Amino acid sequence: MKYAGLEDLKRKVMEDWEYCQKTLPKVSRTFALNISVLKGDLHRSILTAYLFCRIIDTIEDATQLDSKIKIKLLREFSRLIQDADYRKGALTSWVRECEAVDGSPSDLELLSQTQRVFNVFDTLKNNHQAQIIPSVSEMARGMAYFQKKFDANALTLLENEDELEEYCYFVAGAVGEMLCNLFLEEIPHLSPHARQTMRDTAVSFGLGLQMTNISKDIIVDRGRGWSYVPRSYIESSGLTAEEFSAGTSEEKNLQILEQLLNKTMGHLQDALQFTLAIPRKDPRIRLFCIWPLWMAVETIAILHNNRELLKSDDPVKISRKTVRQILRRTPLLCYSDTLLKLSFERIQKRAELAHPPKFELKNLKSRLSALSLEDQAALRA
């Protein structure tokens, strides 16, 4: 009987893993590409972690859900992933509460099947779980922190560049740290210099990808009452938030976009350093980083001086031809640091962004340590 029960459990976990694999491309075609290049335990862990991130993204992005409910759901998820014993009795009711969340059918279906993702998570290597738990938990609490700033009756702005970095840390920088830590678990003999380079640039990598998304979705985000463009960028150009929202001055709006793109490019340069620190004998991990990075730089090149972006709420995307070229060419380049640098620089030149600012990780970490993410004691109770 025990043997039969164990076989049933294994079959259930296998079914849940198959569900996760089939769901990934439904909720993110881009990340399905680079996650698919990984193999073994690393593939399984990163795919599962990404689905957790997508689950809490769905809650944060819900356009019809009151921010107070979002905060409650996000904080509760943080506790669910931190405390396995608590999760056993609380996950079902949390999923039931999530029925109020709105979003795409694929995202909502994943949200309803959160238990299946946790079932797979519980089978991951302990050292991988130990890297995923704190990052996803902090991501959820950070999202909740920024939801407090949302005003449903007016356009909500981040105040300045510091707050932009803090927001991007919670939604992407923490993921960069998690991925870095998972990679370091899988590359134990990495040189101390390379290990330090990866730790120093992992957060910036995440910020660069997130700021690329912010840059290409300026009009879309504005339409849902939120702008990730800092108020300080807007006011330094001589516009008010209302004038920026109304598109009063195309020239000044373009200047604001260029300022954001320039900062983004600085982060993407850090992402290149992160990627080059990965040993050439680990091409799959390199490609996992190269594909979203090259797509981000191509996106920045398209956005540069793009007046059409400011006139349309259609999302900006690189062409399928460009994606195919990246997927076809980079496996041939990934063994050579020199060729990777030349390829990156060739794309970067099209963006014509000079002297991106240097990212100060220690400065960001100091500010984050001073933030109160509220109810942290309750989450540990």
Side-chain angles (χ1 to χ4, degrees), residues 34-94:
N34 63 314
I35 290 175
S36 69
V37 80
L38 299 172
K39 297 297 180 184
D41 291 327
L42 192 59
H43 172 254
R44 191 179 183 93
S45 294
I46 290 179
L47 191 156
T48 305
Y50 177 78
L51 292 182
F52 280 148
C53 294
R54 191 68 196 180
I55 285 166
I56 56 179
D57 271 343
T58 299
I59 296 170
E60 188 205 24
D61 290 343
T63 57
Q64 305 300 318
L65 194 64
D66 184 88
S67 60
K68 291 181 180 179
I69 299 176
K70 290 185 184 182
I71 291 169
K72 181 178 182 295
L73 291 173
L74 289 166
R75 287 179 178 160
E76 179 70 357
F77 187 88
S78 178
R79 185 175 181 184
L80 289 169
I81 196 169
Q82 288 187 77
D83 189 336
D85 291 334
Y86 175 75
R87 185 165 68 239
K88 291 176 184 177
L91 181 56
T92 300
S93 61
W94 183 85

Side-chain angles (χ1 to χ4, degrees), residues 72 79 86 114 128 139 168 178 272 285 343 354:
K72 181 178 182 295
R79 185 175 181 184
Y86 175 75
T114 300
H128 283 197
M139 184 179 185
C168 288
M178 175 189 72
L272 178 64
I285 300 179
S343 176

Side-chain angles (χ1 to χ4, degrees), residues 41-314:
D41 291 327
L42 192 59
H43 172 254
R44 191 179 183 93
S45 294
I46 290 179
L47 191 156
T48 305
Y50 177 78
L51 292 182
F52 280 148
C53 294
R54 191 68 196 180
I55 285 166
I56 56 179
D57 271 343
T58 299
I59 296 170
E60 188 205 24
D61 290 343
T63 57
Q64 305 300 318
L65 194 64
D66 184 88
S67 60
K68 291 181 180 179
I69 299 176
K70 290 185 184 182
I71 291 169
K72 181 178 182 295
L73 291 173
L74 289 166
R75 287 179 178 160
E76 179 70 357
F77 187 88
S78 178
R79 185 175 181 184
L80 289 169
I81 196 169
Q82 288 187 77
D83 189 336
D85 291 334
Y86 175 75
R87 185 165 68 239
K88 291 176 184 177
L91 181 56
T92 300
S93 61
W94 183 85
V95 171
R96 191 178 304 118
E97 288 184 71
C98 286
E99 292 175 1
V101 176
D102 60 281
S104 73
S106 295
D107 286 333
L108 295 180
E109 203 274 335
L110 170 60
L111 189 59
S112 73
Q113 298 299 316
T114 300
Q115 177 69 69
R116 304 188 76 171
V117 185
F118 270 114
N119 290 345
V120 174
F121 173 76
D122 288 336
T123 69
L124 302 181
K125 292 168 61 176
N126 289 339
N127 62 329
H128 283 197
Q129 289 187 27
Q131 305 306 332
I132 294 170
I133 291 170
S135 293
V136 176
S137 173
E138 189 170 30
M139 184 179 185
R141 289 185 290 120
M143 286 180 174
Y145 173 85
F146 274 93
Q147 276 299 316
K148 295 184 303 179
K149 298 174 178 291
F150 184 77
D151 182 353
N153 299 313
L155 180 69
T156 303
L157 296 169
L158 296 173
E159 286 301 318
N160 50 40
E161 191 169 275
D162 284 355
E163 199 165 62
L164 172 64
E165 287 185 351
E166 291 156 15
Y167 171 77
C168 288
Y169 170 79
F170 288 122
V171 299
V175 177
E177 285 183 315
M178 175 189 72
L179 292 172
C180 175
N181 291 334
L182 287 170
F183 294 158
L184 294 179
E185 291 287 338
E186 294 300 297
I187 316 173
H189 304 299
L190 193 64
S191 73
H193 175 73
R195 184 177 294 268
Q196 191 59 50
T197 297
M198 291 178 68
R199 291 195 184 280
D200 289 344
T201 55
V203 169
S204 196
F205 196 155
L207 267 59
L209 297 185
Q210 182 62 27
M211 289 184 189
T212 300
N213 289 334
I214 288 172
S215 299
K216 71 183 181 65
D217 291 337
I218 284 177
I219 305 302
V220 175
D221 288 331
R222 185 193 295 169
R224 65 189 185 100
W226 182 274
S227 176
Y228 299 98
V229 178
R231 185 185 301 275
S232 59
Y233 282 16
I234 296 169
E235 293 179 350
S236 67
S237 73
L239 293 179
T240 65
E242 291 73 20
E243 289 169 335
F244 169 73
S245 179
T248 301
S249 170
E250 183 179 294
E251 284 299 324
K252 291 183 177 180
N253 278 9
L254 200 60
Q255 291 173 17
I256 294 167
L257 174 61
E258 291 296 293
Q259 188 174 356
L260 182 59
L261 294 179
N262 198 48
K263 178 170 178 58
T264 303
M265 185 58 76
H267 290 299
L268 297 181
Q269 289 175 343
D270 285 346
L272 178 64
Q273 296 307 310
F274 178 94
T275 303
L276 295 176
I278 298 167
R280 286 174 290 182
K281 67 180 181 62
D282 294 294
R284 289 185 179 277
I285 300 179
R286 274 197 163 196
L287 286 173
F288 173 88
C289 299
I290 288 169
W291 288 348
L293 173 55
W294 259 239
M295 290 179 196
V297 181
E298 287 281 5
T299 301
I300 296 302
I302 291 174
L303 292 173
H304 169 63
N305 207 28
N306 189 337
R307 297 174 183 274
E308 296 305 312
L309 168 67
L310 302 175
K311 299 176 183 178
S312 171
D313 58 2
D314 291 333

Side-chain angles (χ1 to χ4, degrees), residues 335-348:
Y335 294 96
S336 169
D337 291 359
T338 300
L339 292 178
L340 284 175
K341 290 177 185 177
L342 288 173
S343 176
F344 183 93
E345 289 168 2
R346 192 174 297 118
I347 305 169
Q348 184 180 350

Side-chain angles (χ1 to χ4, degrees), residues 33 295 318-328:
L33 284 172
M295 290 179 196
I318 60 176
S319 68
R320 291 184 178 180
K321 178 181 177 182
T322 299
V323 173
R324 287 196 298 269
Q325 288 175 339
I326 291 171
L327 298 181
R328 186 173 64 249

